[in-house]
Amino acid sequence: MHILLTNDDGYFAQGLQTLYSVLAKEGYQLSIVAPDSQRSATGHSITLFEPLFITKHPLEHGTGYAVSGKPADCVKLAIQGDIIPRPDLVISGINNGPNLGTDVFYSGTVSAAMEGVLLGIPAIAVSLAAFSASDYEPAAHFVAKILQEPKLFRSGLLNVNIPPMSENEWKGVRITKLGKAVYENVFEHRKAPYGKEYYWQAGTVSPEMDQETDLYAIQAGYISLTPMHSDLTDYEKLNQIREGFATLNFTNT
């Protein structure tokens, strides 16, 4: 299996390099195409009005490129730019910090994986759910276990969040839905030394009460596996809208 590795923390980020090392030992054919620097919270943005510069880095097991763009750029370039053989799977991560609930809409990690899905390749987004974590080995070995069961990733996107603790401390694995990330104290109001006011965006996530969500699973010490897809259509509302247009004498096509 040929796997494309990417992320939003940058080519040399510890999470990505640890994942590469673990999967290389498992014998997978690997390519890395990742941003050349930190690109967190860039969502699904792409670069249109600037060139994308690439720097090739030799790998013992595969080929690596650092790209001067966003995470989605990296996946598009890898697949549509033919700089690597077409992969069988895209893995984005291991991210430094969680990608849970509605925060996935801002996530460069999840967006890179979703770009693979949009281009017809299944994908996994992997996050270590704490910004202070430094040991990515347990998470990387868990990804290797996932790869032993193709049913888990053979279509769509699997969003994986892993508690930042040793494997024997995990409570288990839960299959979850996306929660709703609600933040408290989102903006901190500050004043610069010369009087100019500014805001710093941060905040803490409110506790999640819905036990079926990814947010709750991580709070409780479980690994969260959330299946996602790229179709945002609200199918339940389709007929309502058609009926509404009919009453306004619009042509229903």
Side-chain angles (χ1 to χ4, degrees):
M1 183 193 304
H2 177 211
I3 302 173
L4 167 62
L5 301 181
T6 190
N7 70 354
D8 70 357
D9 290 326
Y11 186 94
F12 295 103
Q14 184 180 353
L16 176 62
Q17 294 300 323
T18 301
L19 182 61
Y20 168 80
S21 296
V22 169
L23 296 186
K25 292 176 183 177
E26 295 288 330
Y28 292 103
Q29 179 188 356
L30 302 170
S31 298
I32 299 178
V33 183
D36 58 8
S37 60
Q38 173 63 250
R39 295 289 194 278
S40 292
T42 53
H44 211 122
S45 60
I46 58 174
T47 302
L48 293 178
F49 303 108
E50 297 176 6
L52 292 172
F53 295 97
I54 65 173
T55 302
K56 188 173 182 178
H57 294 280
L59 297 173
E60 184 177 355
H61 302 277
T63 306
Y65 294 94
V67 181
S68 65
K70 312 292 176 49
D73 287 324
C74 294
V75 178
K76 287 181 71 69
L77 180 62
I79 297 171
Q80 295 182 307
D82 297 325
I83 64 173
I84 64 168
R86 185 174 178 85
D88 303 299
L89 177 69
V90 174
I91 302 180
S92 182
I94 300 168
N95 188 63
N96 176 28
N99 280 298
L100 297 163
T102 46
D103 280 350
V104 299
F105 289 101
Y106 312 114
S107 168
T109 300
V110 176
S111 294
M114 186 60 77
E115 185 63 35
V117 174
L118 293 173
L119 297 175
I121 297 172
I124 303 173
V126 188
S127 302
L128 194 57
F131 293 105
S132 59
S134 59
D135 184 7
Y136 293 87
E137 286 275 348
H141 285 290
F142 182 76
V143 174
K145 289 182 180 179
I146 289 177
L147 297 182
Q148 297 174 14
E149 180 46 75
K151 290 181 180 179
L152 293 174
F153 61 86
R154 65 185 176 189
S155 64
L157 189 160
L158 183 66
N159 188 35
V160 181
N161 282 270
I162 301 173
M165 54 187 69
S166 61
E167 187 173 356
N168 59 4
E169 294 179 292
W170 295 336
K171 296 289 184 62
V173 179
R174 286 189 174 178
I175 313 304
T176 60
K177 64 181 181 180
L178 289 177
K180 185 176 182 180
V182 178
Y183 284 82
E184 300 174 348
N185 304 316
V186 177
F187 290 97
E188 183 177 336
H189 183 199
R190 298 182 182 180
K191 186 173 288 188
Y194 294 102
K196 192 174 181 64
E197 296 183 349
Y198 66 98
Y199 289 84
W200 194 274
Q201 187 168 189
T204 57
V205 181
S206 301
E208 174 66 77
M209 304 307 293
D210 187 344
Q211 297 186 19
E212 295 183 354
T213 67
D214 52 355
L215 287 158
Y216 188 92
I218 289 296
Q219 286 174 191
Y222 290 85
I223 294 171
S224 169
L225 305 183
T226 307
M228 298 171 57
H229 59 69
S230 59
D231 188 350
L232 297 179
T233 305
D234 186 341
Y235 289 100
E236 292 184 3
K237 201 169 184 178
L238 274 178
N239 289 332
Q240 296 177 22
I241 294 177
R242 287 170 178 152
E243 292 170 1
F245 267 67
T247 62
L248 295 173
N249 295 319
F250 281 102
T251 302
N252 183 10
T253 57

